[in-house]
């Protein structure tokens, strides 16, 4: 930070907060902002709750989901995700799984809320968010693998393509992602 502050050619710094709770992002800002020159900004090349998701991989799945889709009610979250990787779910099934999971549903506004915090600093240059699931996210998925695939706006590896060919979506993020880009500078890229 000292080097970045003292070097006029450097316009700012990058933070990359992958955190276990929404509150855990604030220490990044508390550390960086006071150490920037007044003319410097910060980037957020990516941010997520991946470590929060990880803490819930061994939770039991919601009973409502198990009943509706024929899963053993003692199944764990990671097992349902693994099943969706092996045979992608219809969009409705994926959405129902995550929306009935309290640990996920309680964070469905993370993207919007965190972007507001970044913007409220007046120093945000740009922030980006996971856009699409990829092969490394699903390869050898199991209870100990970080569930990066839950961060993405699009979910082609866990959700069937729609009838019109549209890529499956990650639950909760698409509307937030769109809203954040509607005529707003410094929106998520």
């Amino acid at each position: 930070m000292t080097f970045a502050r003292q070097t006029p050619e450097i316009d700012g710094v990058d933070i990359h907060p992958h955190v276990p709770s929404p509150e855990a992002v604030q220490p990044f800002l508390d550390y960086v902002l006071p150490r920037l020159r007044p003319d410097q900004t910060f980037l957020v090349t990516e941010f997520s709750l991946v470590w929060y998701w990880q803490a819930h991989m061994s939770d039991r799945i919601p009973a409502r989901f198990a009943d509706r889709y024929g899963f053993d009610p003692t199944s764990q979250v990671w097992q349902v995700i693994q099943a969706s990787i092996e045979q992608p779910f219809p969009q409705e099934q994926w959405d129902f799984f995550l929306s009935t999971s309290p640990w996920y549903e309680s964070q469905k506004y993370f993207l919007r809320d965190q972007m507001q915090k970044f913007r409220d600093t007046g120093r945000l240059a740009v922030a980006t968010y996971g856009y699409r699931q990829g092969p490394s996210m699903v390869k050898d998925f199991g209870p100990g693998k970080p569930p990066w695939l839950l961060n993405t706006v699009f979910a082609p590896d866990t959700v069937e393509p729609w009838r019109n060919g549209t890529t499956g979506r990650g639950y909760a993020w698409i509307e937030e992602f769109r809203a954040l880009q509607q005529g707003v500078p410094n929106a998520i890229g």
Side-chain angles (χ1 to χ4, degrees), residues 15-19 25 44-50 110-112 114-115 118 127-130 151 180 188:
I15 62 174
H16 205 88
H18 294 294
V19 294
V25 177
V44 185
T45 50
E46 191 179 10
F47 62 102
S48 79
L49 288 173
V50 69
F110 173 73
L111 187 57
R112 176 198 67 193
Q114 197 54 60
M115 280 301 300
F118 292 150
T128 64
Y129 195 77
N151 292 330
L180 287 165
I188 294 182

Side-chain angles (χ1 to χ4, degrees), residues 75-150:
S75 297
Q76 295 179 355
V77 167
W78 74 269
Q79 292 171 309
V80 171
I81 294 171
Q82 185 178 48
S84 75
I85 292 167
E86 292 169 4
Q87 179 64 51
F89 292 173
Q91 186 73 59
E92 178 184 298
Q93 184 176 354
W94 182 249
D95 291 352
F96 192 74
F97 168 58
L98 293 174
S99 69
T100 58
S101 298
W103 56 271
Y104 198 91
E105 183 68 9
S106 67
Q107 301 302 326
K108 73 187 270 184
Y109 297 112
F110 173 73
L111 187 57
R112 176 198 67 193
D113 295 347
Q114 197 54 60
M115 280 301 300
Q116 189 61 52
K117 286 181 185 178
F118 292 150
R119 289 177 175 155
D120 285 349
T121 68
R123 308 291 291 279
L124 177 66
V126 69
T128 64
Y129 195 77
Y131 196 67
R132 185 178 193 279
Q133 292 171 343
S136 65
M137 294 177 184
V138 298
K139 183 179 181 197
D140 300 322
F141 193 83
K145 182 164 178 134
W148 297 103
L149 55 84
L150 293 176

Side-chain angles (χ1 to χ4, degrees), residues 1 16 18 32 38 41 61 69 88 95 141 159 177 182:
M1 288 299 305
H16 205 88
H18 294 294
V32 168
T41 58
I61 63 172
Y69 291 102
D95 291 352
F141 193 83
V159 179
F177 185 80
Q182 295 302 314

